[in-house]
Amino acid sequence: MKKTMLWMLMLCFSSAVFSQDIVVNKLRSETSRTIKKDADTSTWVWKKGGLLSANLAQGSLSNWAAGGDNFSLAVSSYFNFFYFYRKNRHSWDNNFDMNLGYVQTTSLGGRKNDDRFDFLSKYGYKMDSTGKVFLSSLFNFRSQWFDGYTFSGGVPSFSSSFLSPAYIILSVGFDYKPSDKLSVFVSPLTSRWTVVANNKLSTLGKYGVPAGKTSINEIGTFATVNYNNTIAKNVTYKGRLDMFSNYNNQAQNIDFFMTNLFSFKINKFFSATYSLDLIYDDDVRLFGPNKTSPGLQTKSLIGIGFLRPLNVKKG
């Protein structure tokens, strides 16, 4: 991955982090990691809660000269659950996200347009009197539930399945938390596993796993930046950027996973959302003229739907 592209992405992410008067002109139909640690001055040892969201978009045409699908229906859903623990110098943050989406059109039929579950657990030990620097360990597991296909000329090609791929990260490093809005975790020693459990995909040697193998391990450096903030009345932003560099294989080609979410609260139960997800993995070579090259993956979703926060409990 060219360094120029990486710096452009970092600049884009930094602008979202530190700007407080962003004018948002787009909306989104996926919610991803909308739970944030609010400014909480009350005394608690543990806190748990979550969020449930569902969005629906439908369109139909009849005798429409410009053309298009006579009928289209898109459904997307999001579920989040978090559990936070803190006592003395110890903190333990757990977060689970799940996204599912489906689209049906008269011309292309039905297919999924979103499918992901992501579990993140991070333990930290406070190292300074200000409570901003933690010696931390991190565990992350990410995959999808159902079979996925890429399409070329309307012809489907099997590309993913349950635990194919799946990504597991174990990391030890330092977590800098200057406020409840920003967290920067950096690790010089990270182990990442890529798993391809499906026999057909394993035989083809997809996602950087050698043909016939079901997993591969990489050692490298890892960094993740998380930011959330209310940037305007009833408008919140949530961003996350993960970066990984493999020490043993072209360390300059940095893999990254980036999510950006804007939420616009309409009333107690309804909201409009817009998200932009970006992924680059040098081992995912499914693109280009011969379908053998890596590429920048992008996903942009828009929608208006039901939003229900789960009851927050403390103890």
Side-chain angles (χ1 to χ4, degrees):
M1 188 66 184
K2 294 182 179 180
K3 293 184 178 179
T4 301
M5 181 178 291
L6 178 61
W7 282 111
M8 290 176 65
L9 288 168
M10 288 293 290
L11 180 60
C12 174
F13 187 80
S14 300
S15 299
V17 170
F18 295 105
S19 173
Q20 301 296 312
D21 57 356
I22 300 174
V23 179
V24 180
N25 297 315
K26 295 183 179 179
L27 303 174
R28 157 173 190 191
S29 82
E30 181 203 64
T31 52
S32 166
R33 293 184 177 272
T34 57
I35 296 299
K36 67 185 183 69
K37 291 185 180 180
D38 53 334
D40 188 355
T41 58
S42 61
T43 301
W44 54 269
V45 175
W46 60 266
K47 180 169 66 171
K48 63 181 180 179
L51 184 71
L52 178 64
S53 174
N55 296 286
L56 177 67
Q58 186 271 327
S60 61
L61 299 174
S62 178
N63 298 326
W64 192 255
D69 281 301
N70 292 332
F71 176 83
S72 64
L73 177 68
V75 180
S76 64
S77 62
Y78 168 71
F79 171 76
N80 169 269
F81 178 79
F82 68 86
Y83 181 91
F84 300 145
Y85 173 87
R86 69 182 189 192
K87 187 175 182 181
N88 301 326
R89 289 181 172 267
H90 304 278
S91 69
W92 186 29
D93 300 343
N94 297 276
N95 195 84
F96 176 77
D97 293 304
M98 185 175 71
N99 300 77
L100 288 175
Y102 181 83
V103 59
Q104 176 75 42
T105 64
T106 52
S107 62
L108 299 176
R111 65 188 68 176
K112 70 174 184 179
N113 65 348
D114 196 10
D115 182 8
R116 183 179 70 197
F117 63 88
D118 189 328
F119 174 68
L120 179 69
S121 182
K122 183 167 60 174
Y123 166 78
Y125 182 82
K126 185 167 59 177
M127 299 183 63
D128 65 333
S129 59
T130 63
K132 296 181 178 180
V133 180
F134 293 79
L135 178 63
S136 298
S137 60
L138 180 146
F139 170 79
N140 181 223
F141 179 74
R142 175 165 55 94
S143 187
Q144 64 281 311
W145 297 107
F146 304 108
D147 291 350
Y149 298 84
T150 57
F151 292 82
S152 177
V155 179
S157 177
F158 181 52
S159 61
S160 65
S161 186
F162 178 64
L163 300 182
S164 303
Y167 300 96
I168 303 171
I169 290 178
L170 287 175
S171 188
V172 177
F174 296 94
D175 197 9
Y176 175 60
K177 300 179 180 179
S179 70
D180 61 338
K181 302 174 183 177
L182 177 64
S183 170
V184 180
F185 175 85
V186 178
S187 168
L189 182 61
T190 296
S191 183
R192 184 178 77 165
W193 286 267
T194 302
V195 178
V196 179
N198 182 273
N199 289 332
K200 182 177 180 180
L201 295 174
S202 174
T203 301
L204 295 174
K206 296 295 186 180
Y207 300 99
V209 178
K213 301 290 186 179
T214 58
S215 67
I216 187 173
N217 177 249
E218 300 171 303
I219 303 297
T221 184
F222 173 76
T224 179
V225 182
N226 289 269
Y227 179 77
N228 55 75
N229 193 19
T230 300
I231 60 177
K233 185 178 181 180
N234 295 330
V235 179
T236 60
Y237 170 78
K238 173 70 175 179
R240 172 185 168 189
L241 173 63
D242 294 350
M243 295 179 291
F244 178 80
S245 174
N246 183 2
Y247 287 143
N248 297 321
N249 184 22
Q250 296 181 315
Q252 73 278 6
N253 291 351
I254 299 175
D255 299 336
F256 66 83
F257 169 77
M258 183 180 185
T259 64
N260 299 275
L261 172 68
F262 294 93
S263 299
F264 309 80
K265 186 176 181 181
I266 299 174
N267 57 32
K268 185 178 180 180
F269 296 114
F270 291 92
S271 70
T273 56
Y274 167 73
S275 79
L276 175 65
D277 293 352
L278 303 171
I279 298 177
Y280 178 85
D281 190 331
D282 199 58
D283 295 323
V284 179
R285 298 178 176 268
L286 302 174
F287 314 104
N290 299 320
K291 306 298 181 182
T292 56
S293 302
L296 178 64
Q297 305 169 54
T298 64
K299 181 178 66 176
S300 177
L301 295 173
I302 298 172
I304 298 176
F306 173 79
L307 180 69
R308 175 65 176 176
L310 305 181
N311 292 334
V312 175
K313 297 182 179 180
K314 304 175 185 179

Short mmCIF file of all heavy atoms in Angstrom, two decimals, residues 118-175:
data_model
loop_
_atom_site.label_atom_id
_atom_site.label_comp_id
_atom_site.label_asym_id
_atom_site.label_seq_id
_atom_site.Cartn_x
_atom_site.Cartn_y
_atom_site.Cartn_z
N ASP A 118 -18.09 -8.72 15.62
CA ASP A 118 -16.80 -8.22 16.07
C ASP A 118 -16.80 -8.15 17.59
O ASP A 118 -17.63 -7.46 18.19
CB ASP A 118 -16.57 -6.83 15.46
CG ASP A 118 -15.15 -6.31 15.68
OD1 ASP A 118 -14.54 -6.64 16.71
OD2 ASP A 118 -14.66 -5.56 14.83
N PHE A 119 -15.89 -8.90 18.21
CA PHE A 119 -15.76 -8.87 19.67
C PHE A 119 -14.39 -8.30 20.02
O PHE A 119 -13.36 -8.73 19.51
CB PHE A 119 -15.89 -10.27 20.26
CG PHE A 119 -15.63 -10.32 21.75
CD1 PHE A 119 -16.50 -9.72 22.64
CD2 PHE A 119 -14.48 -10.93 22.25
CE1 PHE A 119 -16.25 -9.75 24.01
CE2 PHE A 119 -14.23 -10.97 23.60
CZ PHE A 119 -15.11 -10.38 24.49
N LEU A 120 -14.40 -7.31 20.91
CA LEU A 120 -13.17 -6.64 21.34
C LEU A 120 -13.12 -6.62 22.86
O LEU A 120 -14.07 -6.20 23.53
CB LEU A 120 -13.13 -5.21 20.81
CG LEU A 120 -11.91 -4.37 21.19
CD1 LEU A 120 -10.66 -4.90 20.50
CD2 LEU A 120 -12.13 -2.91 20.81
N SER A 121 -12.00 -7.08 23.41
CA SER A 121 -11.80 -7.08 24.85
C SER A 121 -10.43 -6.48 25.15
O SER A 121 -9.43 -6.88 24.54
CB SER A 121 -11.88 -8.50 25.42
OG SER A 121 -11.73 -8.49 26.83
N LYS A 122 -10.39 -5.52 26.07
CA LYS A 122 -9.13 -4.83 26.38
C LYS A 122 -9.00 -4.64 27.89
O LYS A 122 -9.87 -4.06 28.53
CB LYS A 122 -9.09 -3.48 25.67
CG LYS A 122 -7.78 -2.72 25.86
CD LYS A 122 -7.67 -1.55 24.88
CE LYS A 122 -8.79 -0.54 25.07
NZ LYS A 122 -8.61 0.66 24.22
N TYR A 123 -7.90 -5.15 28.43
CA TYR A 123 -7.59 -4.98 29.86
C TYR A 123 -6.46 -3.96 30.00
O TYR A 123 -5.48 -3.99 29.25
CB TYR A 123 -7.17 -6.29 30.50
CG TYR A 123 -6.53 -6.11 31.85
CD1 TYR A 123 -7.31 -5.88 32.98
CD2 TYR A 123 -5.14 -6.13 31.98
CE1 TYR A 123 -6.72 -5.68 34.22
CE2 TYR A 123 -4.54 -5.94 33.22
CZ TYR A 123 -5.33 -5.70 34.33
OH TYR A 123 -4.74 -5.49 35.56
N GLY A 124 -6.60 -3.05 30.97
CA GLY A 124 -5.58 -2.04 31.19
C GLY A 124 -5.22 -1.87 32.65
O GLY A 124 -6.08 -2.00 33.54
N TYR A 125 -3.95 -1.59 32.88
CA TYR A 125 -3.45 -1.28 34.23
C TYR A 125 -2.90 0.13 34.23
O TYR A 125 -1.96 0.45 33.49
CB TYR A 125 -2.36 -2.28 34.65
CG TYR A 125 -1.85 -2.06 36.06
CD1 TYR A 125 -2.55 -2.56 37.16
CD2 TYR A 125 -0.67 -1.35 36.29
CE1 TYR A 125 -2.08 -2.37 38.45
CE2 TYR A 125 -0.20 -1.16 37.58
CZ TYR A 125 -0.90 -1.66 38.65
OH TYR A 125 -0.45 -1.45 39.93
N LYS A 126 -3.49 1.00 35.04
CA LYS A 126 -3.11 2.41 35.06
C LYS A 126 -1.69 2.60 35.56
O LYS A 126 -1.31 2.11 36.61
CB LYS A 126 -4.10 3.20 35.92
CG LYS A 126 -3.87 4.69 35.92
CD LYS A 126 -5.06 5.43 36.54
CE LYS A 126 -5.31 4.99 37.96
NZ LYS A 126 -6.44 5.75 38.57
N MET A 127 -0.89 3.34 34.74
CA MET A 127 0.52 3.50 35.05
C MET A 127 0.88 4.86 35.64
O MET A 127 1.95 5.01 36.22
CB MET A 127 1.35 3.28 33.78
CG MET A 127 1.21 1.90 33.18
SD MET A 127 2.28 1.68 31.74
CE MET A 127 3.90 1.87 32.49
N ASP A 128 0.01 5.87 35.46
CA ASP A 128 0.35 7.21 35.94
C ASP A 128 -0.76 7.75 36.83
O ASP A 128 -1.87 7.22 36.88
CB ASP A 128 0.59 8.15 34.76
CG ASP A 128 -0.67 8.38 33.95
OD1 ASP A 128 -1.54 7.48 33.95
OD2 ASP A 128 -0.80 9.43 33.33
N SER A 129 -0.46 8.83 37.54
CA SER A 129 -1.40 9.41 38.50
C SER A 129 -2.56 10.11 37.81
O SER A 129 -3.62 10.31 38.39
CB SER A 129 -0.68 10.39 39.43
OG SER A 129 -0.06 11.43 38.68
N THR A 130 -2.38 10.52 36.55
CA THR A 130 -3.44 11.22 35.84
C THR A 130 -4.48 10.26 35.25
O THR A 130 -5.56 10.68 34.84
CB THR A 130 -2.86 12.08 34.70
OG1 THR A 130 -2.24 11.22 33.73
CG2 THR A 130 -1.83 13.06 35.24
N GLY A 131 -4.15 8.99 35.17
CA GLY A 131 -5.08 8.01 34.64
C GLY A 131 -5.24 8.06 33.14
O GLY A 131 -6.27 7.63 32.60
N LYS A 132 -4.20 8.52 32.44
CA LYS A 132 -4.27 8.63 30.97
C LYS A 132 -3.47 7.56 30.23
O LYS A 132 -3.70 7.33 29.05
CB LYS A 132 -3.81 10.02 30.53
CG LYS A 132 -4.68 11.15 31.02
CD LYS A 132 -4.18 12.49 30.51
CE LYS A 132 -5.08 13.63 30.98
NZ LYS A 132 -4.60 14.95 30.49
N VAL A 133 -2.53 6.93 30.91
CA VAL A 133 -1.67 5.93 30.27
C VAL A 133 -1.86 4.59 30.96
O VAL A 133 -1.74 4.48 32.18
CB VAL A 133 -0.18 6.35 30.33
CG1 VAL A 133 0.68 5.29 29.64
CG2 VAL A 133 0.02 7.70 29.66
N PHE A 134 -2.13 3.56 30.13
CA PHE A 134 -2.38 2.22 30.65
C PHE A 134 -1.47 1.22 29.94
O PHE A 134 -1.25 1.31 28.73
CB PHE A 134 -3.83 1.80 30.41
CG PHE A 134 -4.85 2.60 31.19
CD1 PHE A 134 -5.23 3.86 30.77
CD2 PHE A 134 -5.42 2.07 32.33
CE1 PHE A 134 -6.17 4.59 31.47
CE2 PHE A 134 -6.37 2.79 33.04
CZ PHE A 134 -6.74 4.06 32.61
N LEU A 135 -0.94 0.28 30.71
CA LEU A 135 -0.30 -0.89 30.14
C LEU A 135 -1.42 -1.87 29.85
O LEU A 135 -2.13 -2.31 30.76
CB LEU A 135 0.70 -1.50 31.11
CG LEU A 135 1.41 -2.79 30.64
CD1 LEU A 135 2.24 -2.53 29.40
CD2 LEU A 135 2.26 -3.35 31.76
N SER A 136 -1.62 -2.23 28.58
CA SER A 136 -2.84 -2.93 28.18
C SER A 136 -2.55 -4.17 27.34
O SER A 136 -1.54 -4.28 26.67
CB SER A 136 -3.75 -1.99 27.38
OG SER A 136 -4.15 -0.88 28.15
N SER A 137 -3.51 -5.08 27.40
CA SER A 137 -3.54 -6.23 26.50
C SER A 137 -4.88 -6.21 25.77
O SER A 137 -5.90 -5.77 26.32
CB SER A 137 -3.38 -7.54 27.27
OG SER A 137 -4.43 -7.70 28.22
N LEU A 138 -4.88 -6.68 24.52
CA LEU A 138 -6.06 -6.57 23.68
C LEU A 138 -6.32 -7.88 22.96
O LEU A 138 -5.39 -8.54 22.48
CB LEU A 138 -5.88 -5.44 22.67
CG LEU A 138 -6.99 -5.14 21.67
CD1 LEU A 138 -7.06 -3.64 21.37
CD2 LEU A 138 -6.76 -5.91 20.35
N PHE A 139 -7.61 -8.25 22.88
CA PHE A 139 -8.05 -9.41 22.11
C PHE A 139 -9.18 -8.98 21.19
O PHE A 139 -10.12 -8.32 21.62
CB PHE A 139 -8.53 -10.53 23.03
CG PHE A 139 -9.22 -11.66 22.29
CD1 PHE A 139 -8.47 -12.63 21.64
CD2 PHE A 139 -10.61 -11.76 22.26
CE1 PHE A 139 -9.09 -13.67 20.96
CE2 PHE A 139 -11.23 -12.78 21.59
CZ PHE A 139 -10.47 -13.75 20.93
N ASN A 140 -9.07 -9.35 19.91
CA ASN A 140 -10.10 -8.99 18.94
C ASN A 140 -10.39 -10.18 18.04
O ASN A 140 -9.47 -10.85 17.56
CB ASN A 140 -9.65 -7.79 18.10
CG ASN A 140 -10.69 -7.35 17.09
OD1 ASN A 140 -10.37 -7.06 15.95
ND2 ASN A 140 -11.95 -7.26 17.49
N PHE A 141 -11.68 -10.45 17.84
CA PHE A 141 -12.11 -11.54 16.96
C PHE A 141 -13.17 -11.00 16.02
O PHE A 141 -14.18 -10.43 16.46
CB PHE A 141 -12.67 -12.70 17.77
CG PHE A 141 -13.16 -13.85 16.93
CD1 PHE A 141 -12.26 -14.71 16.30
CD2 PHE A 141 -14.52 -14.07 16.76
CE1 PHE A 141 -12.71 -15.75 15.52
CE2 PHE A 141 -14.97 -15.11 15.98
CZ PHE A 141 -14.08 -15.97 15.37
N ARG A 142 -12.97 -11.18 14.71
CA ARG A 142 -13.90 -10.62 13.72
C ARG A 142 -14.12 -11.61 12.59
O ARG A 142 -13.18 -12.20 12.06
CB ARG A 142 -13.32 -9.31 13.17
CG ARG A 142 -14.11 -8.67 12.04
CD ARG A 142 -13.67 -7.22 11.83
NE ARG A 142 -12.26 -7.06 11.61
CZ ARG A 142 -11.69 -7.01 10.40
NH1 ARG A 142 -12.44 -7.13 9.31
NH2 ARG A 142 -10.39 -6.87 10.28
N SER A 143 -15.39 -11.79 12.20
CA SER A 143 -15.72 -12.66 11.09
C SER A 143 -17.13 -12.32 10.59
O SER A 143 -17.65 -11.24 10.88
CB SER A 143 -15.62 -14.14 11.49
OG SER A 143 -15.77 -14.99 10.35
N GLN A 144 -17.76 -13.27 9.86
CA GLN A 144 -19.13 -13.09 9.39
C GLN A 144 -19.89 -14.41 9.55
O GLN A 144 -19.30 -15.46 9.79
CB GLN A 144 -19.20 -12.64 7.94
CG GLN A 144 -18.66 -13.63 6.93
CD GLN A 144 -17.16 -13.63 6.85
OE1 GLN A 144 -16.55 -12.59 6.75
NE2 GLN A 144 -16.57 -14.82 6.93
N TRP A 145 -21.24 -14.35 9.39
CA TRP A 145 -22.08 -15.51 9.64
C TRP A 145 -22.34 -16.35 8.39
O TRP A 145 -22.31 -17.58 8.45
CB TRP A 145 -23.43 -15.09 10.23
CG TRP A 145 -23.36 -14.41 11.55
CD1 TRP A 145 -23.57 -13.07 11.81
CD2 TRP A 145 -23.07 -15.01 12.82
NE1 TRP A 145 -23.42 -12.81 13.15
CE2 TRP A 145 -23.12 -13.97 13.80
CE3 TRP A 145 -22.77 -16.31 13.23
CZ2 TRP A 145 -22.89 -14.21 15.15
CZ3 TRP A 145 -22.54 -16.54 14.58
CH2 TRP A 145 -22.60 -15.50 15.51
N PHE A 146 -22.64 -15.71 7.26
CA PHE A 146 -23.21 -16.41 6.12
C PHE A 146 -22.30 -16.36 4.90
O PHE A 146 -21.35 -15.57 4.84
CB PHE A 146 -24.57 -15.82 5.77
CG PHE A 146 -25.53 -15.82 6.92
CD1 PHE A 146 -25.87 -14.64 7.57
CD2 PHE A 146 -26.09 -17.01 7.37
CE1 PHE A 146 -26.74 -14.64 8.64
CE2 PHE A 146 -26.97 -17.01 8.44
CZ PHE A 146 -27.30 -15.83 9.08
N ASP A 147 -22.63 -17.18 3.90
CA ASP A 147 -21.86 -17.22 2.66
C ASP A 147 -21.96 -15.87 1.94
O ASP A 147 -23.02 -15.23 1.93
CB ASP A 147 -22.39 -18.31 1.72
CG ASP A 147 -22.10 -19.71 2.24
OD1 ASP A 147 -21.34 -19.83 3.22
OD2 ASP A 147 -22.65 -20.68 1.67
N GLY A 148 -20.85 -15.46 1.33
CA GLY A 148 -20.82 -14.22 0.58
C GLY A 148 -20.32 -14.46 -0.84
O GLY A 148 -19.56 -15.41 -1.10
N TYR A 149 -20.73 -13.59 -1.77
CA TYR A 149 -20.37 -13.74 -3.17
C TYR A 149 -19.94 -12.39 -3.75
O TYR A 149 -20.47 -11.35 -3.36
CB TYR A 149 -21.55 -14.28 -3.99
CG TYR A 149 -22.01 -15.65 -3.57
CD1 TYR A 149 -22.90 -15.81 -2.51
CD2 TYR A 149 -21.54 -16.79 -4.21
CE1 TYR A 149 -23.33 -17.06 -2.10
CE2 TYR A 149 -21.96 -18.06 -3.82
CZ TYR A 149 -22.86 -18.19 -2.75
OH TYR A 149 -23.27 -19.44 -2.36
N THR A 150 -19.01 -12.42 -4.66
CA THR A 150 -18.72 -11.26 -5.48
C THR A 150 -19.38 -11.49 -6.84
O THR A 150 -19.57 -12.64 -7.26
CB THR A 150 -17.20 -11.07 -5.67
OG1 THR A 150 -16.63 -12.26 -6.25
CG2 THR A 150 -16.52 -10.80 -4.33
N PHE A 151 -19.72 -10.38 -7.53
CA PHE A 151 -20.47 -10.49 -8.77
C PHE A 151 -19.73 -9.79 -9.89
O PHE A 151 -19.27 -8.66 -9.73
CB PHE A 151 -21.87 -9.89 -8.61
CG PHE A 151 -22.77 -10.67 -7.68
CD1 PHE A 151 -22.69 -10.49 -6.30
CD2 PHE A 151 -23.66 -11.59 -8.19
CE1 PHE A 151 -23.51 -11.22 -5.45
CE2 PHE A 151 -24.49 -12.32 -7.34
CZ PHE A 151 -24.41 -12.14 -5.97
N SER A 152 -19.63 -10.46 -11.02
CA SER A 152 -19.03 -9.89 -12.21
C SER A 152 -19.95 -10.21 -13.38
O SER A 152 -20.13 -11.39 -13.74
CB SER A 152 -17.63 -10.47 -12.46
OG SER A 152 -17.08 -9.98 -13.65
N GLY A 153 -20.57 -9.16 -13.96
CA GLY A 153 -21.53 -9.38 -15.04
C GLY A 153 -22.75 -10.14 -14.59
O GLY A 153 -23.35 -10.87 -15.38
N GLY A 154 -23.11 -10.00 -13.31
CA GLY A 154 -24.26 -10.70 -12.77
C GLY A 154 -24.00 -12.14 -12.38
O GLY A 154 -24.90 -12.83 -11.90
N VAL A 155 -22.78 -12.62 -12.58
CA VAL A 155 -22.43 -14.00 -12.25
C VAL A 155 -21.81 -14.05 -10.86
O VAL A 155 -20.79 -13.38 -10.61
CB VAL A 155 -21.45 -14.59 -13.29
CG1 VAL A 155 -21.07 -16.01 -12.91
CG2 VAL A 155 -22.06 -14.54 -14.68
N PRO A 156 -22.39 -14.82 -9.92
CA PRO A 156 -21.84 -14.86 -8.56
C PRO A 156 -20.61 -15.74 -8.46
O PRO A 156 -20.47 -16.75 -9.16
CB PRO A 156 -23.00 -15.45 -7.75
CG PRO A 156 -23.75 -16.30 -8.72
CD PRO A 156 -23.63 -15.60 -10.05
N SER A 157 -19.69 -15.34 -7.61
CA SER A 157 -18.49 -16.13 -7.33
C SER A 157 -18.33 -16.23 -5.82
O SER A 157 -18.26 -15.22 -5.12
CB SER A 157 -17.26 -15.46 -7.96
OG SER A 157 -16.07 -16.17 -7.63
N PHE A 158 -18.31 -17.45 -5.30
CA PHE A 158 -18.22 -17.69 -3.87
C PHE A 158 -16.92 -17.11 -3.30
O PHE A 158 -15.84 -17.41 -3.79
CB PHE A 158 -18.27 -19.20 -3.62
CG PHE A 158 -18.22 -19.59 -2.18
CD1 PHE A 158 -19.09 -19.04 -1.25
CD2 PHE A 158 -17.31 -20.54 -1.74
CE1 PHE A 158 -19.05 -19.41 0.08
CE2 PHE A 158 -17.26 -20.93 -0.42
CZ PHE A 158 -18.13 -20.36 0.50
N SER A 159 -17.05 -16.27 -2.27
CA SER A 159 -15.87 -15.56 -1.78
C SER A 159 -15.68 -15.62 -0.27
O SER A 159 -14.57 -15.37 0.22
CB SER A 159 -15.93 -14.08 -2.19
OG SER A 159 -17.08 -13.45 -1.64
N SER A 160 -16.71 -15.92 0.51
CA SER A 160 -16.55 -15.92 1.97
C SER A 160 -17.62 -16.78 2.61
O SER A 160 -18.65 -17.10 1.99
CB SER A 160 -16.61 -14.49 2.53
OG SER A 160 -17.90 -13.93 2.32
N SER A 161 -17.39 -17.14 3.87
CA SER A 161 -18.34 -17.95 4.61
C SER A 161 -18.07 -17.78 6.10
O SER A 161 -17.21 -16.98 6.50
CB SER A 161 -18.21 -19.43 4.20
OG SER A 161 -19.21 -20.21 4.81
N PHE A 162 -18.78 -18.53 6.92
CA PHE A 162 -18.57 -18.48 8.36
C PHE A 162 -17.14 -18.89 8.70
O PHE A 162 -16.66 -19.94 8.26
CB PHE A 162 -19.57 -19.40 9.06
CG PHE A 162 -19.42 -19.46 10.55
CD1 PHE A 162 -19.63 -18.33 11.33
CD2 PHE A 162 -19.05 -20.63 11.17
CE1 PHE A 162 -19.49 -18.38 12.71
CE2 PHE A 162 -18.90 -20.69 12.55
CZ PHE A 162 -19.13 -19.56 13.32
N LEU A 163 -16.44 -18.03 9.43
CA LEU A 163 -15.04 -18.23 9.80
C LEU A 163 -14.11 -18.31 8.58
O LEU A 163 -13.02 -18.86 8.67
CB LEU A 163 -14.87 -19.48 10.66
CG LEU A 163 -15.63 -19.51 11.99
CD1 LEU A 163 -15.31 -20.78 12.76
CD2 LEU A 163 -15.33 -18.28 12.85
N SER A 164 -14.55 -17.75 7.47
CA SER A 164 -13.74 -17.75 6.25
C SER A 164 -13.95 -16.44 5.49
O SER A 164 -14.83 -16.37 4.62
CB SER A 164 -14.13 -18.95 5.38
OG SER A 164 -13.98 -20.17 6.05
N PRO A 165 -13.21 -15.40 5.77
CA PRO A 165 -12.12 -15.44 6.74
C PRO A 165 -12.59 -15.06 8.14
O PRO A 165 -13.68 -14.53 8.32
CB PRO A 165 -11.17 -14.38 6.20
CG PRO A 165 -12.11 -13.34 5.63
CD PRO A 165 -13.25 -14.13 5.03
N ALA A 166 -11.74 -15.32 9.11
CA ALA A 166 -11.88 -14.81 10.46
C ALA A 166 -10.52 -14.26 10.88
O ALA A 166 -9.48 -14.77 10.46
CB ALA A 166 -12.32 -15.91 11.43
N TYR A 167 -10.54 -13.20 11.68
CA TYR A 167 -9.31 -12.55 12.10
C TYR A 167 -9.24 -12.52 13.63
O TYR A 167 -10.20 -12.12 14.29
CB TYR A 167 -9.22 -11.13 11.55
CG TYR A 167 -9.25 -11.06 10.05
CD1 TYR A 167 -10.44 -10.82 9.37
CD2 TYR A 167 -8.10 -11.26 9.29
CE1 TYR A 167 -10.48 -10.77 7.98
CE2 TYR A 167 -8.12 -11.22 7.91
CZ TYR A 167 -9.31 -10.97 7.26
OH TYR A 167 -9.35 -10.93 5.89
N ILE A 168 -8.12 -12.98 14.15
CA ILE A 168 -7.89 -13.00 15.60
C ILE A 168 -6.63 -12.20 15.90
O ILE A 168 -5.58 -12.45 15.29
CB ILE A 168 -7.74 -14.44 16.12
CG1 ILE A 168 -8.99 -15.27 15.77
CG2 ILE A 168 -7.51 -14.44 17.63
CD1 ILE A 168 -8.83 -16.75 16.05
N ILE A 169 -6.73 -11.27 16.83
CA ILE A 169 -5.59 -10.44 17.21
C ILE A 169 -5.35 -10.56 18.71
O ILE A 169 -6.28 -10.41 19.52
CB ILE A 169 -5.82 -8.96 16.84
CG1 ILE A 169 -5.78 -8.78 15.33
CG2 ILE A 169 -4.77 -8.06 17.50
CD1 ILE A 169 -6.06 -7.37 14.87
N LEU A 170 -4.11 -10.85 19.08
CA LEU A 170 -3.64 -10.79 20.47
C LEU A 170 -2.51 -9.78 20.53
O LEU A 170 -1.55 -9.89 19.76
CB LEU A 170 -3.15 -12.16 20.93
CG LEU A 170 -4.22 -13.23 21.21
CD1 LEU A 170 -3.55 -14.56 21.56
CD2 LEU A 170 -5.15 -12.79 22.35
N SER A 171 -2.63 -8.82 21.45
CA SER A 171 -1.68 -7.71 21.42
C SER A 171 -1.41 -7.21 22.84
O SER A 171 -2.28 -7.23 23.71
CB SER A 171 -2.28 -6.57 20.57
OG SER A 171 -1.35 -5.56 20.36
N VAL A 172 -0.18 -6.74 23.03
CA VAL A 172 0.24 -6.12 24.30
C VAL A 172 0.89 -4.78 23.97
O VAL A 172 1.75 -4.71 23.08
CB VAL A 172 1.23 -7.02 25.07
CG1 VAL A 172 1.70 -6.30 26.34
CG2 VAL A 172 0.59 -8.35 25.41
N GLY A 173 0.48 -3.73 24.66
CA GLY A 173 1.03 -2.42 24.37
C GLY A 173 0.58 -1.37 25.36
O GLY A 173 0.25 -1.69 26.52
N PHE A 174 0.55 -0.13 24.88
CA PHE A 174 0.20 1.01 25.73
C PHE A 174 -1.05 1.69 25.18
O PHE A 174 -1.19 1.88 23.97
CB PHE A 174 1.35 2.01 25.81
CG PHE A 174 2.59 1.45 26.45
CD1 PHE A 174 3.60 0.89 25.68
CD2 PHE A 174 2.72 1.46 27.83
CE1 PHE A 174 4.73 0.37 26.28
CE2 PHE A 174 3.86 0.94 28.43
CZ PHE A 174 4.86 0.39 27.65
N ASP A 175 -1.95 2.03 26.10
CA ASP A 175 -3.20 2.68 25.74
C ASP A 175 -3.21 4.09 26.32
O ASP A 175 -3.10 4.27 27.55
CB ASP A 175 -4.37 1.87 26.30
CG ASP A 175 -5.69 2.22 25.63
OD1 ASP A 175 -5.67 2.96 24.63
OD2 ASP A 175 -6.75 1.76 26.12
#
